[in-house]
Amino acid sequence: MNAMQSDIEHLKTAITTAWRARENGNHPFGAVLVDENNRVVLQAENTVITGRDSTGHAETNLVRLANQQFSPDQLARCTLYSSTEPCAMCAGAIYWSQIGRVVYALSEIDLYAIIGPSPDHLLLACREVFAHSERHIEVLGPISVLDVEARAVHEGFWK
């Protein structure tokens, strides 16, 4: 399996995790951490609603778990897969954790097009957040071959 094929498989897992978050009464976002040997080591879903915590995004929840279990050196060799592009807050958490690579399915712009007008939009791409750092974080996304699956988890949720 080449890198792009494994990226797609891990993103499918992140999207499945997003469905689980939605089924559990939360916003439909999921994240997966994969180690340097291409093994899934952690999964986290969004818990904003059930946890009554506005910082309970899937990626931030994943970073909290990862920091408890892995060293910064280990995390630098890991990839975080996200069903949707990490927001500015999550990008900051990813940066501080020292995770070295991020792959996402749906872009933030496409998410906001699905959600519609809202005063809660903070349009700041994760690449832009990472561009202001001293450390390089590789970013791959959006992954267009998963556009239908990545959008489907949001359909009907935000209205």
Side-chain angles (χ1 to χ4, degrees):
M1 184 180 307
N2 68 34
M4 187 58 156
Q5 288 173 320
S6 66
D7 288 337
I8 290 169
E9 291 307 311
H10 293 311
L11 282 173
K12 286 180 179 181
T13 302
I15 293 168
T16 298
T17 305
W19 277 109
R20 192 168 55 246
R22 182 174 176 164
E23 291 163 4
N24 288 332
N26 289 293
H27 299 155
F29 301 99
V32 176
L33 189 69
V34 174
D35 71 11
E36 64 188 308
N37 297 312
N38 204 33
R39 291 183 312 231
V40 173
V41 293
L42 289 172
Q43 294 182 36
E45 59 189 68
N46 180 289
T47 58
V48 167
I49 296 171
T50 59
R52 304 184 96 188
D53 178 0
S54 60
T55 68
H57 293 195
E59 300 90 342
T60 304
N61 289 339
L62 187 80
V63 166
R64 286 185 188 111
L65 293 170
N67 283 326
Q68 294 170 1
Q69 297 181 37
F70 303 103
S71 72
D73 288 340
Q74 289 172 304
L75 291 173
R77 296 186 302 272
C78 288
T79 300
L80 185 149
Y81 291 89
S82 183
S83 59
T84 305
E85 181 175 2
C87 72
M89 175 187 71
C90 292
I94 292 164
Y95 169 78
W96 290 115
S97 74
Q98 299 189 28
I99 291 170
R101 183 170 182 255
V102 173
V103 182
Y104 63 89
L106 185 69
S107 75
E108 187 176 51
I109 291 171
D110 288 340
L111 171 66
Y112 286 160
I114 293 167
I115 293 173
S118 170
D120 295 328
H121 292 178
L122 175 60
L123 189 55
L124 184 60
C126 67
R127 281 182 176 87
E128 181 70 17
V129 174
F130 299 146
H132 293 277
S133 71
E134 296 289 322
R135 188 177 338 100
H136 173 73
I137 298 172
E138 180 184 348
V139 179
L140 180 61
I143 305 298
S144 59
V145 297
L146 291 174
D147 192 61
V148 171
E149 293 95 326
R151 289 173 180 275
V153 71
H154 294 281
E155 288 176 8
F157 180 84
W158 300 102
K159 303 295 179 201

